[in-house]
Amino acid sequence: MRTDLVLLSARLLDPLTGRFLPGTAVAAAGGRITALGEDREIRARADSSTTVIDLKGAVVVPGLVDGHLHPVSGAELTHGLDLSDCTDLDQVRAALAAGVRSLAPGAWLHAWGLDPNVFGDRPVAVAPFDSVLEGVPALLLLFDAHSALASRRALELAGVDGPRTFDQASAEVVCDAGGRPTGLLLEDAACALVERVAPQPTRAERRERLAAALRAMAAAGLTGGHVMDANGDSLDLFAELDAAGELPLRLRVAPWCQPGTDADGVRALIEQQGTGGALWRVAGVKIFMDGTVDNGTAWLERPDCHGESTHAFWPDPEEYTRILGALHRAGVPVATHAIGDAAVRHVLDSVERARADGGRGVRHRVEHIETVPDDTLRRFAALGVVASMQPTHCCDFTRADHTDNWSRRLGEERAARAWRCRDLVDSGATVVLGSDWPIAPYPPLGVMAGARHRRPTRDLTQPPHGPEQALTALEALQGMTVNAACAAGEESEAGRLAVGHRADLTVLAENPLTTAATDLPDMPVLLTVLDGRPTHRDATL
């Protein structure tokens, strides 16, 4: 077999043991690793058509995989005004004013990344921005992407002048005591009321934004992602990029199953499994069990300080249990968004009931797991449920002193149980790490660093939130390599440097296990290889 790629002068890091493997070179052909060995031996496999790269002592790890990603919606939502660096209302107003000045008459203002902490003790509403947005149709997406603020003009254009009822139980057009909308829209169904009257990008624009986002992810070291949606024409876009040779990540896509899905809808999701192309496929189903703590739509066992977060996303949580059971019987893994303790408990209860009927090999997952009590931890390993965590959410959206919105809503007891990565690992659970982009930045070195230091990314001199929950450097690397492969049922072909495994590789300038967590995000990614071909190559190689 012709050798496609040879990497020389490498240090081959095994994420299972944390030690370097013997040998200094890798050969790949047909998208697989065909040999690991010494430079002379591996170089002999090359011919005039082989890409040969001297890594000059750089470190090779299995390709890094983001365990929770939204590339299509992320590429769309992150187009516009970035408010993620704003820390108070004055900064938001200044940013919005600058955005308004650049608008053509009648044009919409789109913004994203708004942190509810900028409101302090004030309610999250559009009123503080009325003077800036007067007459301007604007939609400001909050950082959690589960809520948005619509300006008065946007609400008027959408015909939203009072409360609405939705199939999604936690969706809401928030209104004041007089029944007038405050501008806050909770969950996808409410946000869609305004989104559907706003101008939409062309399909060509959406395709290029997606392609650009994926190229940037590859340059950051990602070779794959577990995609947690397949809305609209997402699958068509993946197929187009794949067919054109422009898909730089290997994508595992889980379409949504929403409240109101009937038996035919569940059957269609089952039939869709395994479809895809060379570098993407449908594998699993994504279901929401609740919303978010920050906007009061999580499902908690006790209400938050505002009396909110008291119910599930599904009007009838038992319907979720029945659907999970049907998917389980069909061998379809379910990834459930569950942030609050009641939501996580209900998912685990549902998996336990499904497993009692057989099919113990199906690997279900819980996404986010932001706060859980002690008695929940051990159930993940016992039920074979993967814990999918996004540690940078804890780093960037909460504070060590619990003065942030998330912590204040939950109170000291529950805020002290934030993102229990360490406890889940110690309980025997398989912990997968991801970004949830566009909620948080996608660079995987930043995700791994956050799992280790748990400090605000913008100011690493600040104290960590729950340092006792930090992962080791090796555990963080495993969370984006071997554990990601295990969650996908692909441990026999991915997540390790081994002959026969996929030639998905990330090459780093230094050893990520001996680099300080605070320095890790700045480590150069020298080469990214997907299916045996470079998707990113630093100019120094």
Side-chain angles (χ1 to χ4, degrees):
M1 179 184 292
R2 182 177 66 85
T3 297
D4 301 315
L5 177 70
V6 164
L7 304 180
L8 303 172
S9 302
R11 290 183 285 165
L12 311 177
L13 184 59
D14 179 10
L16 277 180
T17 65
R19 295 190 293 269
F20 287 110
L21 298 170
T24 57
V26 182
R32 300 280 170 167
I33 296 173
T34 53
L36 300 169
E38 300 300 329
D39 279 15
R40 178 181 297 181
E41 169 198 353
I42 301 302
R43 185 189 289 273
R45 293 173 172 261
D47 59 26
S48 60
S49 66
T50 304
T51 300
V52 180
I53 303 175
D54 184 346
L55 296 183
K56 306 171 185 177
V59 176
V60 180
V61 299
L64 300 176
V65 175
D66 190 310
H68 189 118
L69 200 60
H70 301 274
V72 176
S73 59
E76 296 174 10
L77 296 176
T78 56
H79 182 74
L81 187 62
D82 182 0
L83 301 175
S84 61
D85 287 333
C86 297
T87 58
D88 58 41
L89 289 174
D90 287 340
Q91 290 181 9
V92 177
R93 276 190 285 263
L96 293 176
V100 168
R101 287 194 295 271
S102 69
L103 289 178
W108 280 67
L109 177 67
H110 291 271
W112 60 280
L114 179 61
D115 187 342
N117 285 300
V118 303
F119 292 89
D121 293 329
R122 300 177 61 169
V124 179
V126 79
F129 313 129
D130 280 345
S131 60
V132 178
L133 299 177
E134 184 177 2
V136 176
L139 192 62
L140 319 178
L141 189 71
L142 273 74
F143 83 86
D144 62 7
H146 281 251
S147 48
L149 282 177
S151 68
R152 307 295 181 187
R153 179 57 176 157
L155 292 171
E156 180 185 355
L157 291 173
V160 178
D161 56 6
R164 300 286 180 91
T165 301
F166 303 96
D167 287 338
Q168 298 172 358
S170 51
E172 181 182 0
V173 174
V174 178
C175 296
D176 61 20
R180 295 178 295 272
T182 67
L184 180 59
L185 307 170
L186 302 180
E187 297 298 344
D188 177 66
C191 294
L193 297 174
V194 175
E195 290 169 346
R196 66 191 180 202
V197 301
Q200 301 299 316
T202 67
R203 194 177 190 285
E205 289 172 335
R206 294 177 58 246
R207 184 187 188 280
E208 179 48 39
R209 289 176 191 172
L210 172 61
L214 292 172
R215 289 193 297 268
M217 291 176 189
L222 284 173
T223 64
H226 297 174
V227 178
M228 292 296 162
D229 58 49
N231 298 326
D233 60 353
S234 295
L235 300 184
D236 291 337
L237 290 169
F238 295 148
E240 283 184 25
L241 293 176
D242 193 19
E246 299 176 28
L247 192 58
L249 266 68
R250 190 183 303 275
L251 302 177
R252 183 177 189 271
V253 187
W256 284 0
C257 178
Q258 296 271 34
T261 301
D262 59 15
D264 288 341
V266 173
R267 189 159 43 250
L269 287 168
I270 294 170
E271 293 171 353
Q272 196 176 20
Q273 300 300 304
T275 59
L279 292 170
W280 70 277
R281 66 185 176 94
V282 174
V285 169
K286 166 75 179 299
I287 307 183
F288 290 86
M289 199 66 249
D290 64 352
T292 71
V293 169
D294 278 287
N295 69 20
T297 58
W299 187 17
L300 300 172
E301 294 179 337
R302 301 193 315 276
D304 67 14
C305 70
H306 299 301
E308 298 177 337
S309 285
T310 57
H311 52 79
F313 187 77
W314 290 66
D316 178 9
E318 282 301 307
E319 183 61 20
Y320 162 87
T321 303
R322 288 190 289 272
I323 288 177
L324 182 139
L327 293 170
H328 179 88
R329 288 190 295 275
V332 178
V334 174
T336 305
H337 168 121
I339 280 177
D341 45 17
V344 175
R345 190 182 302 279
H346 187 84
V347 175
L348 296 174
D349 288 346
S350 299
V351 171
E352 187 168 23
R353 286 170 58 178
R355 280 167 55 93
D357 294 333
R360 292 175 177 269
V362 185
R363 294 179 186 174
H364 302 296
R365 309 162 45 134
V366 181
E367 310 297 315
H368 309 309
I369 319 167
E370 293 185 4
T371 179
V372 289
D374 291 343
D375 67 346
T376 303
L377 295 169
R378 58 179 173 76
R379 300 184 66 197
F380 281 84
L383 295 170
V385 174
V386 173
S388 174
M389 309 287 285
Q390 297 77 45
T392 44
H393 295 195
C394 181
C395 295
D396 291 341
F397 304 127
T398 70
R399 301 170 187 153
D401 63 4
H402 296 172
T403 58
D404 59 278
N405 178 60
W406 185 93
S407 299
R408 285 186 290 114
R409 275 183 174 268
L410 289 181
E412 283 298 311
E413 178 188 352
R414 290 180 291 193
R417 301 195 300 243
W419 285 268
R420 300 180 71 174
C421 299
R422 165 88 276 131
D423 290 341
L424 281 161
V425 168
D426 288 348
S427 73
T430 297
V431 175
V432 174
L433 300 181
S435 65
D436 197 15
W437 188 77
I439 310 307
Y442 54 72
L445 296 183
V447 173
M448 291 191 294
R452 293 167 55 186
H453 64 61
R454 295 176 68 97
R455 299 173 184 269
T457 304
R458 298 187 193 94
D459 185 0
L460 294 171
T461 65
Q462 294 296 312
H465 187 164
E468 71 282 357
Q469 294 299 331
L471 298 183
T472 67
L474 180 57
E475 289 164 344
L477 177 61
Q478 290 170 343
M480 304 196 82
T481 53
V482 290
N483 291 358
C486 179
E490 297 173 342
E491 60 268 36
S492 64
E493 61 176 349
R496 295 184 60 197
L497 300 178
V499 172
H501 275 50
R502 290 173 180 158
D504 295 353
L505 309 168
T506 303
V507 180
L508 306 173
E510 301 292 342
N511 184 352
L513 304 186
T514 57
T515 300
T518 51
D519 295 334
L520 186 61
D522 297 323
M523 179 185 292
V525 176
L526 301 180
L527 183 72
T528 311
V529 175
L530 175 68
D531 210 39
R533 60 181 178 86
T535 55
H536 160 73
R537 183 172 178 176
D538 188 83
T540 61
L541 293 181

